[in-house]
Amino acid sequence: AYYRASYDDGYASSGLGNSYLSCKVRFLDPAAHRVGVAVSPVLEVLSDASLSDTTLGLSRVNWALPVHVSAGRGRTRVLASAGYFSRGALFAAAGVERSVSSRFALDMAVSYMYATRVDANSDLAGLSRSRLDATAGLLFALTPAVSLSAAAGRPVSSLDQNGARLLASASVSYVFARRRE
């Protein structure tokens, strides 16, 4: 991932940033059952810039294990996720997705994160152990196997100094399916 940042004091930086690899494994198909269940393990590889402050004690490679549950038939689905991140965080999210057409959907969600470990620097800086965010997004299916999505949001909880005021993401998804014989 490429990043670019600039600050009010004139400092600017850009380069190769953190990378995230993920796949989603479905255990219960919501089209065949009342409830769908899936896991999507995530592998995080931190950039040299993220590791430059050795006092933080970060590992180059980290992981997360979210579990997802979905329910609903027709145009509206309710979604929830919860999991653990190896750098020391628990997280949970819930949302609603509404299909506008066979290829286009909108969603809204709230997410909560809680730090299971806090270092002395976080306490000294007065950083909160938790945060609550709200996001809205859209999904567009290019083909039955390829989808594009984008979302934007903002913190609902109080904002830490230098905290993000805007959250944004974009992704491309590809569905691998077994051939049915």
Side-chain angles (χ1 to χ4, degrees):
Y2 180 80
Y3 75 91
R4 181 178 157 140
S6 61
Y7 299 93
D8 293 341
D9 65 0
Y11 175 79
S13 179
S14 62
L16 190 59
N18 302 334
S19 296
Y20 299 88
L21 303 168
S22 178
C23 70
K24 191 172 193 176
V25 180
R26 182 172 48 197
F27 291 105
L28 286 177
D29 184 350
H33 300 83
R34 258 195 178 134
V35 174
V37 177
V39 297
S40 57
V42 177
L43 184 65
E44 174 190 56
V45 181
L46 295 177
S47 67
D48 289 338
S50 292
L51 297 172
S52 64
D53 184 349
T54 57
T55 64
L56 296 176
L58 297 174
S59 298
R60 174 148 331 255
V61 178
N62 303 284
W63 57 271
L65 187 60
V67 176
H68 311 283
V69 177
S70 64
R73 301 236 179 224
R75 299 180 81 119
T76 304
R77 292 188 318 152
V78 176
L79 310 160
S81 297
Y84 177 74
F85 190 56
S86 67
R87 287 204 274 152
L90 295 170
F91 52 90
V96 176
E97 179 183 86
R98 175 78 175 170
S99 294
V100 178
S101 71
S102 62
R103 298 178 73 186
F104 186 71
L106 301 171
D107 63 56
M108 293 188 316
V110 293
S111 59
Y112 178 77
M113 281 120 335
Y114 179 80
T116 58
R117 296 185 294 235
V118 179
D119 67 16
N121 292 331
S122 295
D123 283 341
L124 290 173
L127 300 178
S128 174
R129 272 187 101 154
S130 64
R131 66 181 285 153
L132 180 66
D133 298 320
T135 59
L138 52 96
L139 174 109
F140 182 72
L142 292 173
T143 70
V146 179
S147 299
L148 304 175
S149 63
R154 61 172 288 123
V156 175
S157 55
S158 62
L159 190 63
D160 288 329
Q161 68 179 33
N162 298 327
R165 288 174 171 68
L166 172 67
L167 310 167
S169 66
S171 66
V172 176
S173 299
Y174 182 80
V175 176
F176 294 96
R178 290 184 290 171
R179 287 186 188 189
R180 299 183 193 261
E181 298 184 34

